[in-house]
Structures are given as structure tokens and as C-alpha cells.
Amino acid sequence: MVKSLPPRSEVKVEETWNLQDLFKSEDDYNQAIEQLQQNVASYVEQFKGKISDVDSIIAALKGYASIYKKMVPIGAYTSLSSSEDQTNDEAQMRASKYGSIASKLGSQLSFVSSELSELPAELLEKAMGQSKDFELYLKEVLREKPYQLHPEVEKTLAAMSSVLNAPYGLYNTTKLVDIRFDDFEVDGEKFPLSYTSFEGGWESEADTSKRRAAYDAFYAKLRQYQHTAAKTYDMHLQKEKTISDLRGYDTVFDYLLFNQEVDRSMYDRQIDLIMKELSPHMRKYAKLLQKVHGLDKMTFSDLKIPLDPNYEPKITIEESKKYIKDSLSIMGDDYLTMVERSYDERWTDFAQNIGKSTGAFCSSPYGVHPYILISWTGSMEDVFVLAHELGHAGHFYNAHKHQNIFNSRPSLYFIEAPSTMNEMLMANHLLSNSDDPKFKRWVISSIVARTYYHNFVTHLLEAAYQRKVYERIDAGGSVNANVLNELKRGVLEEFWGDDVEITEGAELTWMRQPHYYMGLYPYTYSAGLTISTQVSKRILAEGKPAVEDWLKVLQAGGTKSPAELAQMAGVDITTEQPLLDTISYIGDLIDQLIELTEEIETVQTN
């Protein structure tokens, strides 16, 4: 039975994260902002208009790194305290206030990149040779040089950043504050509904009548807000297109892929191959679900049902610790110490409450420790999600220890590889511990339904839809709810064909994801999982040497391109082979599920 969510004030403290590791009190937070403003003013006075030679370049960047380190925990505290409860007026006003302050500070500091960009390339290269700490930063300055605008324009854009980023805040406010779901009814009984309960419960409910009724009620409510949501998204898209044009990029795709250090061919290949090659495997999986559950027809609302809901164990937060530690023990003592600390020091916000951000994420402020948000429901899926987020945490835990603040963050293209790696390690560990057909089927179905469905289907279909949206924007168009619905439905129908009925409401799935406000992010999930699938196979086959290579990749942070990082782990992502191998591996898993199901059914009938 899904319960109504409590307010934040009523959840157990031990199930919340400890933001006091960022700031002990509100006074400390406010003093940090005041000190930061003074530091920026002094820095501007010391360096503005005076960056002219190698010595001043290095001195300016040292000072800039120091300021950046002070900004990070302030931004993290502001964001995290807001995401734990969007209905908290104090947290929302704090976020709004700091957004304005950060925009002003960004405007004051914009001279750094402008002045560096105006210096001769030879001088920047000389500075790179004399300071390894800032080599990567200056390399980026050189890369961005052709797209840098006049200093006053850069200053203005930085000053407008809180306004330019407003659509994302508006999206979250609409989604998490304004939308209130009514109870839905099945056979005279009423059941509570919310974003969290739908995504964490009703969407995978084994009872078909309840699941489909929850689906209908959920999407009926979303439909009431579709025009506001579409207008908000269109504002964001038009902003990206305008900045892309201003900076002189050929397309908005080039603009959004620039910082990922990935060309258009790698982006397109990820989407095109999966849409074509994975679709037959996933249709086969959908047919298996329909058969096992005895469904009259397979609809979009049925795709998240567990293959064997009766075998799904309920797992407490405390019990999850053993699953996680046993699965990740292959990563070594230092990694396990990080996992232990995450539990002992309350890095994770497990609580379910009204106004909390949906889904899960990991924030890794430099100089502190990672923070993880998840809404714990007690399913095995939660354990996989937590392992996933601890993959992000372990990545930055390692990168921050070995790299400075400018060098620690890799390309967005690579960001989901360490997280999905942990899901693969968990699955491998579980499979190695039993020969029981029902247990094996449960583990493999967890991998398919959680790891691969989520990253290779849900997020990939977002990416295919997103590409169509940006193609429209690039051609000078705009979008509204009807356009977005049509594009989303078209992608879903193309992937699932006649095997899954795309029921009314499915086209509104675009309203559920914040990823569309984060550039070309959705396709990177499948890119990361392609890398981690191949590396996890290496770890299974080779053990410690493959793990050591992977730890070096994590420690490298952002000092290498995605292709170079993958190459360090033994994967060549410049070709299509790793992706084809991964799709083939998913197909093999689904075939195993079909065989195990036949074996189980044979035993049950004899």
C-alpha cells in the first residue's frame, strides 16, 4: 500500500543528509557569502586589466581557483537545501537570493576568461608549460577563443545568468510545488498518488488494475500543466539557440557538444544504433512481460512491471549496506571506506517527503564530500539506484583527491560510466552467488528492467526525442505542448512498434524529466553504460588489473577526453563495436530470461 508523503519536518533525521558538513549554521553560510563578496572585490582590484604575462596569468588563476573553492560549498548548500523540500519558503528564497548574488559575482569575474582569451596563443601556451595545475584550464581557453564574445557582452551574459537559468527553476516549481495529485480509485477503494509514489511504486505495481488506474490519474494531472511546461521548455531552448548563434557555432548541437569534447557523429551513432538495433530485443522483453503476467495487451503503462514481483525482497536502508559493500568490495579498501563513510556520516538523503526532488542524484562539492539524494521505498531497485549514485560519489571522491578544482570534472559524455559500472558490479556479484533459476531470473531481470531499461531505453528515447526538438529549434522553429507530444509519441511508436500500445498519456513523458534543462545529457547514460558494460566484463575476466586501470580512470578526473579515458580502461569508443557488443549483451540477457522462465514454468507444471 502506497502511503501519502509526510512533510519534511516529520521524517527521521537519520534518514536525511547532514548539510552541516557544508555549513554548521545559517550564520556561517551568510558569513561565507559576505566573505566571498569581499574576496571577489579584492581579486578584481588586484587583477582586472593586469593579466598580461606568464607570471600574472598564473597568479590570477591561483587567486581564481581560491575563489572558486569558496563558491562551491555555498552553491551546494543552496541547491541541496532547496532540493530536499521545494515547498520550504526559506530555502527557496535563499536560493533566489544567492542566484542573484552569484550572477553579480560571475559578472565581476568574467574579465578573467575575457582577458586570457585576448592574449596571444603563444603566451597562453608558455604559461601552460610553466604550470601543470592550470594547463587544462588554459587549454580550454584556447579551445573557446573562437567563440568568445566582447568582454562587455560576456560580462552582461554572466550578470543575466540567474535570469537565463530561470526556466529550470520554473520547471521544478511547477512540478514539485504546484502539481498536486488527487487520490485515484479502484473497485471503490482510494489510493494516494504523488510523483514519488508513482515513479517509486505505482508504475511497477503488479496489480494491473491499480497500475493502469494510477497511470491514467498521473498523466491526466500532468495534462493540466502541459502548456505551462511546454512554454517553460521553449524559453530554455530559445535561450540556448540564441547563445549558440551569438557565439558563432554552426548549430545548437555543436554548441551543446563543445564542452563534452565529443563530435556530432558519436552523438548521432549512440541514438541511431540503439533505436535500430536494441528495439527488437526490448520488444521481445515486452512480450515476455505480457506472457508472464497474462496481460490482455501490452501497453506503455505495463513496461515497468517486475518480471517476478513475488520474488522481489523488501530491503531496509541498513540491509542495503551489506549488498553494496559486498558488491563493490572488488574496488578495494579505499573505495569501501568511502561507502562506509557515506552511511556513517549521513551523506545520503533517503527520506520520502512532500516537495522533495524526484529521482536520484549525486552532488560532489569540491573540498567537502559527495551528497546523494534518493527516495527510499525498500525495493531492490533502490539498492541499484544507490549503487549507481555511489558510483558518481566514488568517481569524484577519487578525482578530487588527485586533481585540482579545475581538473577534477570530466566531460558529460563520460559522467555516467562510473555510476553504471557500480550497477554492473552489483549484478555480477549477485549472479555469482546462486544457481537457483528463480534467483538468477530475478537478478537478470533487475539488470534489464533497472540498469539497461533505465539507461538504454528511458534515457535513450529521451535523447531521440530531444534530437528532434533541437533540429526544429536549429531550423528557427519553436515548440508548444502539441508539438512536443507529437514528437514524443512518434519516438515511442518507432521504438516499440506494434508490440506495445502507446496509451494516451505516454506522449506527456517529456514533462517528467529535468534532463532537458541540462543540455545534451540524456544520450550520455547509454554512452556511459556502453563503457561500463565493457569494463565490467574485463573486471570479471581479469580481476585486480582491470580494477586498477579503472581506479586510475576515476582519479584522472577531467584531465583526458572521453575517448582517452575509455582507452585507459581498454575500450575504444571511437568505433561502433563497444555499443554493438553491449546491445548484443542485452539481447543475451533477455534470451536468458526467456530460457529461465521456461525452465521455471516446466518445474511448476511437473
Side-chain angles (χ1 to χ4, degrees):
M1 170 73 183
V2 178
K3 297 178 181 176
S4 297
L5 296 179
R8 182 73 178 181
S9 59
E10 292 180 11
V11 301
K12 296 176 184 175
V13 173
E14 59 268 27
E15 293 185 4
T16 64
W17 49 28
N18 180 17
L19 296 185
Q20 288 189 335
D21 288 347
L22 289 163
F23 294 101
K24 295 290 183 191
S25 67
E26 193 73 14
D27 282 345
D28 287 349
Y29 168 79
N30 289 323
Q31 285 174 22
I33 292 178
E34 195 174 318
Q35 184 64 54
L36 175 64
Q37 290 172 309
Q38 291 172 11
N39 290 344
V40 169
S42 299
Y43 178 82
V44 172
E45 189 175 335
Q46 183 179 359
F47 289 106
K48 188 172 183 181
K50 300 168 187 173
I51 305 176
S52 57
D53 55 23
V54 169
D55 289 343
S56 58
I57 289 171
I58 294 171
L61 288 177
K62 280 180 180 174
Y64 191 49
S66 176
I67 285 171
Y68 194 13
K69 281 180 189 173
K70 289 171 183 168
M71 293 179 87
V72 165
I74 297 172
Y77 182 84
T78 307
S79 171
L80 295 175
S81 59
S82 174
S83 64
E84 70 185 27
D85 183 6
Q86 292 274 345
T87 66
N88 183 326
D89 286 345
E90 184 183 344
Q92 301 317 309
M93 293 306 290
R94 184 198 295 120
S96 180
K97 181 180 179 182
Y98 181 64
S100 298
I101 292 170
S103 294
K104 184 179 178 183
L105 296 178
S107 179
Q108 289 175 279
L109 292 168
S110 66
F111 77 90
V112 179
S113 56
S114 291
E115 290 190 23
L116 288 172
S117 183
E118 290 178 336
L119 293 173
E122 303 77 36
L123 190 59
L124 295 177
E125 286 163 359
K126 192 174 178 183
M128 287 163 65
Q130 291 191 25
S131 176
K132 288 292 176 190
D133 284 348
F134 305 122
E135 182 180 7
L136 192 66
Y137 184 91
L138 291 170
K139 183 180 171 187
E140 281 304 297
V141 170
L142 283 170
R143 256 196 359 119
E144 291 170 4
K145 214 174 176 15
Y147 307 107
Q148 194 77 7
L149 301 173
H150 187 279
E152 286 304 311
V153 179
E154 294 290 353
K155 184 177 179 181
T156 303
L157 285 173
M160 292 288 290
S161 62
S162 65
V163 177
L164 294 173
N165 293 328
Y168 181 42
L170 180 56
Y171 164 80
N172 274 324
T173 301
T174 304
K175 175 180 175 179
L176 300 170
V177 181
D178 281 348
I179 296 182
R180 282 285 177 268
F181 293 91
D182 303 317
D183 292 348
F184 66 94
E185 191 172 314
V186 178
D187 297 330
E189 187 178 358
K190 289 190 173 181
F191 301 93
L193 182 65
S194 66
Y195 248 107
T196 303
S197 69
F198 182 73
E199 295 184 344
W202 293 123
E203 196 172 26
S204 54
E205 166 64 43
D207 185 311
T208 299
S209 57
K210 289 178 186 174
R211 182 180 65 255
R212 290 180 178 175
Y215 173 95
D216 290 341
F218 180 80
Y219 281 106
K221 179 59 70 172
L222 288 195
R223 193 174 298 284
Q224 294 173 16
Y225 293 82
Q226 63 176 325
H227 299 295
T228 300
K231 189 64 181 174
T232 302
Y233 184 36
D234 188 52
M235 278 193 292
H236 173 77
L237 294 166
Q238 299 303 333
K239 173 202 78 172
E240 289 180 319
K241 174 61 175 166
T242 300
I243 292 175
S244 169
D245 289 346
L246 280 174
R247 293 198 178 281
Y249 288 92
D250 291 337
T251 71
V252 72
F253 292 98
D254 295 323
Y255 165 58
L256 295 172
L257 289 171
F258 182 83
N259 286 332
Q260 293 186 22
E261 299 178 81
V262 170
D263 64 31
R264 180 72 186 271
S265 65
M266 287 174 71
Y267 165 76
D268 284 331
R269 182 178 69 209
Q270 202 70 24
I271 297 171
D272 293 338
L273 275 180
I274 295 176
M275 285 294 290
K276 180 185 175 188
E277 303 292 340
L278 182 62
S279 174
H281 297 302
M282 294 311 300
R283 292 183 191 188
K284 193 190 295 185
Y285 174 67
K287 284 293 186 188
L288 177 63
L289 286 177
Q290 182 180 359
K291 175 175 175 282
V292 168
H293 287 276
L295 299 176
D296 56 334
K297 58 183 177 180
M298 191 67 190
T299 75
F300 187 77
S301 64
D302 303 318
L303 287 167
K304 294 289 186 75
I305 338 168
L307 191 59
D308 190 353
N310 298 322
Y311 205 82
E312 184 85 4
K314 293 302 285 182
I315 297 165
T316 66
I317 294 168
E318 183 59 32
E319 287 167 346
S320 73
K321 191 188 296 186
K322 178 169 170 48
Y323 277 104
I324 298 277
K325 286 180 65 180
D326 288 352
S327 301
L328 302 183
S329 60
I330 195 168
M331 293 293 288
D333 292 342
D334 186 53
Y335 201 96
L336 282 188
T337 298
M338 183 272 300
V339 172
E340 285 272 11
R341 286 183 61 197
S342 75
Y343 283 94
D344 296 344
E345 299 173 19
R346 285 173 48 214
W347 294 5
T348 306
D349 200 85
F350 293 100
Q352 289 193 54
N353 57 264
I354 295 169
K356 182 172 176 177
S357 290
T358 60
F361 67 73
C362 178
S363 172
S364 300
Y366 192 92
V368 193
H369 60 70
Y371 281 94
I372 292 169
L373 179 140
I374 182 175
S375 293
W376 192 263
T377 64
S379 70
M380 190 61 197
E381 179 168 346
D382 288 347
V383 186
F384 274 93
V385 173
L386 183 56
H388 177 106
E389 299 307 334
L390 282 166
H392 288 305
H395 188 186
F396 289 103
Y397 173 83
N398 276 277
H400 289 174
K401 280 205 298 187
H402 291 83
Q403 305 297 337
N404 68 33
I405 195 165
F406 290 143
N407 294 0
S408 63
R409 192 166 187 85
S411 156
L412 193 63
Y413 184 93
F414 193 82
I415 216 81
E416 294 298 337
S419 52
T420 52
M421 166 62 82
N422 278 13
E423 295 187 56
M424 299 306 299
L425 293 177
M426 170 158 282
N428 289 343
H429 170 75
L430 291 172
L431 282 173
S432 68
N433 280 299
S434 177
D435 289 322
D436 175 46
K438 288 200 83 172
F439 182 80
K440 283 185 75 173
R441 183 174 74 161
W442 169 67
V443 174
I444 294 171
S445 65
S446 293
I447 307 167
V448 172
R450 157 64 212 169
T451 302
Y452 284 108
Y453 189 99
H454 191 65
N455 299 296
F456 255 76
V457 181
T458 298
H459 291 320
L460 195 281
L461 294 182
E462 288 173 15
Y465 151 82
Q466 188 185 41
R467 183 170 63 175
K468 290 179 182 294
V469 170
Y470 278 116
E471 284 170 349
R472 186 181 178 94
I473 297 300
D474 229 15
S478 59
V479 296
N480 60 21
N482 292 333
V483 168
L484 295 175
N485 290 343
E486 184 182 332
L487 292 177
K488 187 65 183 178
R489 175 172 283 278
V491 167
L492 293 173
E493 288 175 343
E494 179 186 348
F495 188 82
W496 292 110
D498 296 332
D499 295 299
V500 176
E501 181 183 316
I502 306 303
T503 30
E504 187 177 346
E507 71 279 1
L508 294 166
T509 307
W510 61 267
M511 291 178 65
R512 292 172 56 180
Q513 286 292 359
H515 295 144
Y516 303 127
Y517 295 86
M518 302 173 189
L520 297 177
Y521 186 22
Y523 90 103
T524 67
Y525 279 86
S526 62
L529 185 51
T530 299
I531 295 166
S532 61
T533 298
Q534 301 307 312
V535 179
S536 68
K537 285 183 183 178
R538 258 199 78 200
I539 289 174
L540 263 183
E542 300 173 28
K544 195 171 180 181
V547 171
E548 290 300 320
D549 283 348
W550 186 242
L551 288 171
K552 285 174 188 169
V553 170
L554 302 185
Q555 292 161 9
T559 58
K560 311 252 182 215
S561 72
E564 289 169 332
L565 289 169
Q567 195 66 58
M568 284 174 69
V571 183
D572 183 3
I573 59 169
T574 63
T575 74
E576 64 180 25
Q577 201 55 49
L579 179 53
L580 290 174
D581 288 347
T582 301
I583 292 171
S584 176
Y585 175 71
I586 299 170
D588 289 343
L589 290 176
I590 291 167
D591 287 342
Q592 286 182 58
L593 288 179
I594 293 168
E595 289 168 15
L596 287 165
T597 298
E598 289 172 354
E599 183 182 340
I600 291 163
E601 288 175 350
T602 301
V603 170
Q604 287 172 343
T605 54
N606 287 340

